[in-house]
Every structure is written in structure tokens, then in C-alpha cells.
Amino acid sequence: MRQVEAARGDWIIYYEPRRPSGDLMKSGGRQTYFATARIVDIIEDPSKPDHFYALIEDFLPFDRAVPFREADYYYESGLRKEDGSTNKGAFGRAVRNISDAAYDLVLAAGFAHVLGQRDRLRTAPDPAEEACIGFW
């Protein structure tokens, strides 16, 4: 709760962790950052003691999901141990506070094509448009 309280009124990044899947040979979750939003308030859950809701505004999905790690670079320095290995304990936290610099880097990576830093990746070509005469 302390980490969430520290983020009240500030911008956050949503991330998708690795999750176990039904197939024991696979794991789910892309391990990516995928959106940003602002926490405007935190309220108690009236039906469950010690449970809370963060009220969110200005939710904005990234144009590109950003992996936690690209090559040897971790966007969150706390996810990497001094010996270069992954800090699995940090990955296990539901809420992690990050620096403004790390937030800015993830945001820039999520909107890289909009900012002119990367070509847009498309999974399929744009649909063909039909020409129409007049106004509809």
C-alpha cells in the first residue's frame, strides 16, 4: 500500500507479468509495459477489509508493448542484480515505484514511432479504403 500511496496524483505504467498458463510447458504473460495512466485517488473496498481501489484517469495504451528487458538493458534498474542476473524478487511485486527517468524511457519506447524514433510495426496491412463521391 505504501508504494501505491506514493504514486497518488502521479503517472503510472501498467505491466503484464509472466503468468502460469494451463499448459505446463508454456507460461503466459508477455512481460511488457503496455499503458500509462494517472492515479487520482485511492479508496477502500467496502466489502473486503484491507482491500483498496486506485481510481485512474487519462488511461493511454502504448502503440507498442515495451519488453521489461531489451538485449541486456532493463528499463527498471531494480529488475537487474549487480551480477547482471534478473532480480526475481522485484519482478514478483505487484506495485513497483520507478524513477521519472525510467518512466520517460518506457513512455518514449512505447510511442517510438509516433515520436519518429522507430518505424511503426503492423501485424497486417491497412484495410483498403473504398472511394466515395459526395458527403455521407
Side-chain angles (χ1 to χ4, degrees):
M1 185 65 185
R2 184 176 39 222
Q3 286 84 5
V4 177
E5 282 290 346
R8 186 192 303 252
D10 206 351
W11 289 90
I12 62 168
I13 295 175
Y14 287 90
Y15 67 91
E16 182 179 325
R18 183 180 311 249
R19 294 184 207 94
S21 70
D23 183 343
L24 296 177
M25 299 304 290
K26 295 181 181 177
S27 59
R30 299 176 295 172
Q31 290 191 293
T32 62
Y33 307 101
F34 64 90
T36 188
R38 196 166 43 87
I39 297 179
V40 293
D41 203 2
I42 302 163
I43 60 171
E44 287 187 57
D45 183 330
S47 63
K48 291 184 178 179
D50 296 326
H51 285 74
F52 299 86
Y53 293 100
L55 302 181
I56 303 296
E57 287 184 356
D58 304 318
F59 179 87
L60 183 62
F62 294 158
D63 191 65
R64 166 184 99 87
V66 179
F68 291 154
R69 183 180 79 186
E70 295 194 88
D72 289 332
Y73 179 75
Y74 287 80
Y75 284 91
E76 291 178 73
S77 60
L79 297 179
R80 182 180 183 157
K81 292 182 181 178
E82 285 185 27
D83 66 3
S85 65
T86 299
N87 184 346
K88 294 182 181 173
F91 267 107
R93 294 189 193 116
V95 177
R96 302 186 297 262
N97 296 107
I98 64 172
S99 69
D100 289 345
Y103 173 85
D104 291 345
L105 288 171
V106 172
L107 199 68
F111 293 108
H113 100 274
V114 175
L115 300 171
Q117 298 170 342
R118 181 177 286 175
D119 290 337
R120 182 173 182 182
L121 301 175
R122 297 177 188 261
T123 55
D126 287 336
E129 292 184 20
E130 201 173 301
C132 298
I133 298 174
F135 295 98
W136 297 99

